[in-house]
């Protein structure tokens, strides 16, 4: 069994369209189109599990670079989650500008910060 990453998908692509595209190359076990949690809209990529590794390689060779819905597909073997580097930022206090914990704008440009007077 081999899991394939399918990127640059048109957001309108359905599971049945992907299945018919890949079944022309071999047996497809499972298709997972990744969607946004909040909107439910496709995020533009999917994973296709193919039963036979040889057929999966054939699918990569035949479909990588093929056009679907005006977009050029990017297909390769999916990497396990642990092999992918985590990107920084995001989360409550990670990365990003402004706010607590962020690296926002420095209004003090070379001057020592002065304590504020309480506003009561």
């Amino acid at each position: 069994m081999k899991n394939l990453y399918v990127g640059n998908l048109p957001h309108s692509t359905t599971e049945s369209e992907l299945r018919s595209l890949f079944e022309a190359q071999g047996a497809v076990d499972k298709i997972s189109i990744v969607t946004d949690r909040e909107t439910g809209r496709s995020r533009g990529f999917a994973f296709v599990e193919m039963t036979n590794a040889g057929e999966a390689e054939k699918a990569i060779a035949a479909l990588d670079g093929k056009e679907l819905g005006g977009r050029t597909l990017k297909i390769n073997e999916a990497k396990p989650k642990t092999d992918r580097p985590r990107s920084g930022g995001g989360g409550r206090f990670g990365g990003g500008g402004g706010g607590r914990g962020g690296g926002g704008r420095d209004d003090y440009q070379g001057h020592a910060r002065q304590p504020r007077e309480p506003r009561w």
Side-chain angles (χ1 to χ4, degrees):
M1 177 135 7
K2 202 164 224 180
N3 195 17
L4 304 179
Y5 165 84
V6 184
N8 203 30
L9 278 175
H11 294 287
S12 61
T13 305
T14 64
E15 185 177 322
S16 60
E17 285 177 304
L18 265 183
R19 185 171 295 277
S20 64
L21 187 68
F22 278 83
E23 281 182 340
Q25 308 305 319
V28 173
D29 187 45
K30 181 180 172 185
I31 292 180
S32 302
I33 296 177
V34 180
T35 57
D36 184 88
R37 286 184 197 157
E38 292 182 20
T39 65
R41 183 175 178 234
S42 167
R43 293 187 58 199
F45 66 98
F47 295 96
V48 175
E49 283 184 21
M50 295 191 74
T51 310
N52 181 299
E55 291 173 347
E57 291 298 327
K58 182 177 148 188
I60 292 171
L63 301 174
D64 186 37
K66 180 179 171 119
E67 198 168 294
L68 178 68
R71 299 184 80 166
T72 305
L73 297 179
K74 178 65 183 157
I75 302 171
N76 51 41
E77 187 174 347
K79 296 177 180 75
K81 281 186 178 182
T82 54
D83 287 357
R84 283 183 274 171
R86 290 185 56 110
S87 60
R92 185 171 171 153
F93 296 111
R100 295 176 191 223
R105 197 176 87 198
D106 184 8
D107 289 333
Y108 297 96
Q109 298 177 353
H111 301 289
R113 290 188 171 196
Q114 300 297 315
R116 285 190 163 178
E117 291 292 321
R119 289 189 177 169
W120 28 158

